[in-house]
């Protein structure tokens, strides 16, 4: 048997995240199939997988940061771990605090759906205990072992017990109206079982798993919709997989391997009056006493699921909770320290987003119509599931304005925030959402090439024909979309789009965040940078003047069309100035300008 950790440390956290991701990958379809609460949209397993994928990626990024600067003492950072600060140890490994903070932050920014958002808060609750400075106090349940030696106070079975208790309590606090028979019940049972267990981390983790398993099997008796469908709670089933991975981390063996799925199946097919559950395109069709009942999203309750990340102060979030609670249900607000993940089901999606704007700065806004006939839902009663479209375009875009522009052109979009690129699972989900036999994938970022390739390969295993066009900027994606013709043969369409993207030079104007070496010399923090085809070509002090210089250099080689995409922080007059410059100095060159929103760069420029 391979050697396993006996105490909690950064390597244990890394192992746990990896095992949890594998476990959810294996169980994803099973969990999706039993998803009937709070909305029977068949995506709980997928949402939990994407949430843990984001957490695992953040932890890996912290380890990669240490490996890069091994032996150098000082602060370092990671794009995937956001504001997580690290300090390099002599061994070149992150501390436990580094790892659990990264895990919690990654889960927070990547949380998907109701259950994924709750799981993010569970991980955050654990991190609050395991990353605490000094002695583990009673904040998470009134226990203390008297340890005072910093890191060691958070690495034993006692610390894990406290962390599981804090996780369950904080998750309940994050949900506006907790319901028994859900993932919250399973989390509480895990914490209670762990609290009554002595021993090392392995013993505590196994006890938590067994407590969660028993609670999961009891969920149909606590929630009528589960009992009618003859299934256990999907979110709870996902949490059980995560806890099984925790136990395997410390014991080397998965507790009850193969047992849970079998018991769930028995429960589905063995309940009084319930002969089983079938699904048509993700919609539960439950045969209860010979009567077939559809459980479809949108027939009861709000029509939209609204989620977004929010930068806001605690006091503003408290007011936001109250307002969203009046607008809809399934309200979960998780996070803290200025960053929050908001999830709500509401009929007025616009009002839910406006509430976030009033509270702070929302981004990564996602609005899902439960009534839409997508890959997880069927149409109205009596209608067959929606047929797949022949072809679709999936594109990663850096700002809300561009997302709207791409959507108007018929593309399915994935919104990317600077420093927080989408994971492959998110791109796969977007391909599924496009619900087409053929998909053209536009990553619009050179750094996303491998991520997009992995997503394309995964989608191909699911029977979707995917062509990846290696666009390196959103303006190249715009050029590709402009020549997209779904009626053409797939290969011909891909060639035309690839040719249009390749014939488009791209540039951006941004502000330097720190001093660094560039192709154009040394820049200082606050300098205006003009990047052409990914390399710094101009260093200036004025945004408009720098943009003009960049544009002149690009048009020196010729061009027929200039595309300008303005970020929120770009000067209001810059578009008119550059349009006038093109009109006066370059004959027969057209210019078009778009608003990109919060896209990171002040200005994107494309020249075809």
């Amino acid at each position: 048997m391979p050697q396993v950790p006996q105490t909690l440390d950064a390597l244990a956290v890394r192992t746990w995240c990896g095992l949890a991701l594998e476990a959810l990958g294996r169980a994803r379809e099973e969990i999706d199939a039993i998803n009937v609460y709070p909305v029977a949209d068949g995506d709980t397993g997928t949402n939990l997988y994407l949430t843990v994928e984001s957490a695992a990626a953040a932890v890996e990024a912290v380890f990669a940061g240490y490996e890069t600067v091994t032996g150098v003492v000082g602060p370092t950072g990671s794009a995937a771990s956001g504001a997580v600060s690290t300090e390099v140890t002599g061994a070149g490994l992150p501390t436990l605090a580094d790892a659990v903070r990264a895990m919690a932050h990654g889960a927070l920014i990547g949380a998907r759906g109701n259950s994924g958002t709750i799981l993010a808060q569970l991980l955050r609750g654990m991190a609050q205990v395991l990353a605490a400075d000094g002695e583990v106090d009673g904040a998470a349940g009134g226990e203390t072992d008297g340890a005072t030696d910093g890191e060691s106070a958070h690495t034993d079975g006692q610390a894990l017990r406290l962390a599981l208790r804090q996780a369950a309590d904080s998750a309940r606090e994050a949900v506006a109206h907790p319901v028994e028979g859900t993932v919250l019940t399973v989390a509480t049972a895990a914490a209670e079982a762990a609290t009554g267990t002595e021993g090392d981390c392995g013993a505590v983790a196994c006890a938590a798993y067994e407590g969660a398993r028993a609670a999961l099997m009891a969920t149909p008796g606590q929630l009528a919709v589960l009992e009618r469908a003859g299934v256990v709670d999907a979110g709870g089933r996902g949490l059980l997989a995560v806890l099984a991975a925790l136990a395997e981390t410390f014991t080397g063996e998965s507790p009850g391997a193969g047992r849970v799925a079998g018991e769930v199946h028995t429960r589905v097919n063995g309940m009084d009056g319930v002969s089983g559950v079938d699904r048509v395109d993700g919609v539960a069709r439950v045969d209860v006493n010979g009567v077939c009942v559809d459980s479809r999203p949108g027939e009861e309750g709000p029509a939209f699921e609204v989620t977004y990340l929010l930068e806001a102060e605690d006091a503003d979030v408290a007011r936001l909770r109250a307002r969203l609670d009046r607008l809809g249900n399934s309200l979960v607000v998780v996070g803290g320290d200025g960053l929050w993940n908001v999830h709500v089901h509401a009929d007025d999606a616009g009002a839910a987003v406006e509430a976030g704007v009033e509270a702070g700065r929302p981004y990564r806004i996602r609005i899902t119509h439960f009534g839409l006939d997508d890959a997880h839902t069927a149409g109205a009663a009596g209608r067959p599931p929606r047929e797949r479209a022949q072809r679709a375009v999936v594109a990663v875009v850096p700002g809300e304005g561009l997302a709207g522009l791409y959507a108007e052109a018929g593309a399915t979009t994935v919104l990317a925030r600077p420093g927080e690129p989408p994971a492959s699972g998110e791109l796969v989900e977007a391909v599924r959402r496009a619900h087409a036999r053929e998909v053209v994938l536009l990553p619009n970022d050179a750094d996303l090439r491998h991520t997009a390739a992995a997503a394309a390969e995964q989608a191909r295993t699911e029977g979707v024909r995917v062509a990846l066009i290696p666009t390196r900027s959103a303006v190249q994606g715009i050029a590709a979309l402009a020549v997209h013709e779904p009626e053409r043969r797939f290969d011909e369409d891909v060639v035309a789009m690839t040719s249009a993207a390749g014939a488009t030079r791209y540039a951006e104007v941004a502000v330097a965040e720190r001093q660094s070496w560039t192709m154009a010399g040394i820049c200082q923090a606050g300098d205006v940078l003009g990047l052409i085809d990914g390399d710094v070509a101009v260093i200036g002090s004025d945004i408009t003047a720098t943009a003009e210089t960049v544009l002149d250099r690009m048009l020196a080689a010729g061009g027929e069309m200039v595309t300008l995409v303005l970020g929120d922080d770009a000067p209001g007059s810059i578009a008119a100035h550059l349009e006038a410059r093109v009109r006066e100095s370059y004959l027969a060159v057209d210019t078009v300008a778009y608003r990109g929103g919060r896209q990171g760069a002040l200005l994107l420029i494309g020249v075809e």
Side-chain angles (χ1 to χ4, degrees), residues 108-181:
L108 177 66
I109 64 174
R112 307 297 289 270
N114 189 71
S115 295
T117 307
I118 293 173
L119 177 61
Q121 187 67 3
L122 287 167
L123 297 180
R124 178 178 171 80
M126 294 186 71
Q128 287 173 332
V129 172
L130 299 176
D133 295 327
E135 182 179 343
V136 177
D137 58 25
E143 301 179 64
T144 178
D145 61 1
T148 58
D149 56 347
E151 179 88 1
S152 65
H154 313 294
T155 61
D156 57 8
Q158 172 77 345
L160 185 56
R161 287 195 294 272
L162 293 173
L164 290 168
R165 168 53 61 191
Q166 176 66 7
D169 292 347
S170 62
R172 281 188 176 270
E173 292 171 1
V175 177
H177 302 285
V179 175
E180 296 307 324

Side-chain angles (χ1 to χ4, degrees), residues 311-480:
E311 293 177 356
E313 299 298 326
D314 290 8
D316 295 320
V317 171
R319 289 190 291 271
L320 173 66
R321 288 179 192 268
R323 181 172 177 185
L324 292 179
D325 195 26
R326 294 192 296 270
L327 283 174
N329 59 30
S330 293
L331 174 60
V332 186
V333 181
V334 305
D337 302 320
L339 181 62
W340 309 81
N341 193 309
V342 178
H343 172 282
V344 68
H345 295 173
D347 282 321
D348 192 342
V353 174
E354 289 172 5
V357 173
E358 292 182 5
R361 176 178 174 264
Y363 57 95
R364 283 199 180 181
I365 301 167
R366 291 175 55 87
I367 300 174
T368 303
H369 193 319
F370 289 129
L372 287 179
D373 296 342
D374 61 16
H376 296 304
T377 63
R383 295 181 186 173
R386 176 170 69 92
E387 287 292 327
R388 286 182 178 271
Q390 181 60 34
R391 191 173 308 158
V393 176
V394 172
V396 180
V397 291
E400 295 89 346
L402 280 178
L405 175 66
Y406 272 72
E408 287 177 9
T412 298
T413 62
V414 177
L415 192 61
R417 188 188 185 203
E420 295 176 0
S424 62
E426 195 168 355
L427 298 186
V428 172
E429 187 195 21
V431 171
R432 294 182 185 129
R433 201 166 69 242
H435 202 47
R437 297 182 182 89
E438 301 167 340
V439 170
V440 179
L441 183 57
L442 306 175
N444 291 340
D445 186 336
D447 292 336
L448 286 179
R449 181 183 59 182
H450 296 300
T451 300
E457 189 60 33
Q458 173 61 36
R460 292 184 188 114
T461 66
E462 299 178 9
V464 182
R465 188 181 183 188
V466 181
L468 172 61
I469 297 179
T471 49
R472 294 171 290 174
S473 170
V475 291
Q476 289 189 322
I478 292 173

Side-chain angles (χ1 to χ4, degrees), residues 54-290:
S54 181
V59 173
E60 289 300 322
V62 168
F63 271 85
Y66 275 94
E67 291 167 1
T68 301
V69 290
T70 299
V72 180
V73 178
T76 64
S78 162
S81 59
V84 178
S85 62
T86 60
E87 185 173 298
V88 177
T89 64
L93 292 176
T95 64
L96 171 62
D98 291 327
V100 295
R101 285 174 182 150
M103 175 183 68
H105 183 78
L108 177 66
I109 64 174
R112 307 297 289 270
N114 189 71
S115 295
T117 307
I118 293 173
L119 177 61
Q121 187 67 3
L122 287 167
L123 297 180
R124 178 178 171 80
M126 294 186 71
Q128 287 173 332
V129 172
L130 299 176
D133 295 327
E135 182 179 343
V136 177
D137 58 25
E143 301 179 64
T144 178
D145 61 1
T148 58
D149 56 347
E151 179 88 1
S152 65
H154 313 294
T155 61
D156 57 8
Q158 172 77 345
L160 185 56
R161 287 195 294 272
L162 293 173
L164 290 168
R165 168 53 61 191
Q166 176 66 7
D169 292 347
S170 62
R172 281 188 176 270
E173 292 171 1
V175 177
H177 302 285
V179 175
E180 296 307 324
T182 66
V183 62
L184 297 176
T185 304
V186 176
T188 298
E192 291 174 350
T195 300
T197 301
E198 298 297 328
D200 60 13
C201 291
V204 172
C206 288
Y209 168 84
E210 290 297 339
R213 187 181 66 84
L216 175 66
M217 299 313 300
T219 55
Q222 297 173 292
L223 203 53
V225 65
L226 301 179
E227 186 172 21
R228 288 195 301 270
V231 297
V232 297
D233 179 66
R237 171 66 182 91
L239 177 59
L240 191 65
V242 173
L243 291 172
L246 180 64
E248 184 177 357
T249 297
F250 295 108
T251 65
E253 297 180 356
S254 180
R259 180 175 60 184
V260 177
E263 290 189 354
V264 171
H265 181 75
T266 301
R267 191 75 176 179
V268 168
N269 292 286
M271 292 184 65
D272 293 340
V274 179
S275 60
V277 175
D278 189 15
R279 283 190 170 259
V280 179
D281 242 359
V283 177
R285 297 180 58 83
V286 188
D287 189 2
V288 182
N289 294 324

Side-chain angles (χ1 to χ4, degrees), residues 494-516:
V494 170
V495 168
M497 295 176 71
T498 303
S499 178
T504 302
R505 299 189 68 194
Y506 64 96
E508 68 177 79
V509 177
V511 176
E513 296 181 355
R514 63 186 66 85
Q515 182 188 61
S516 61

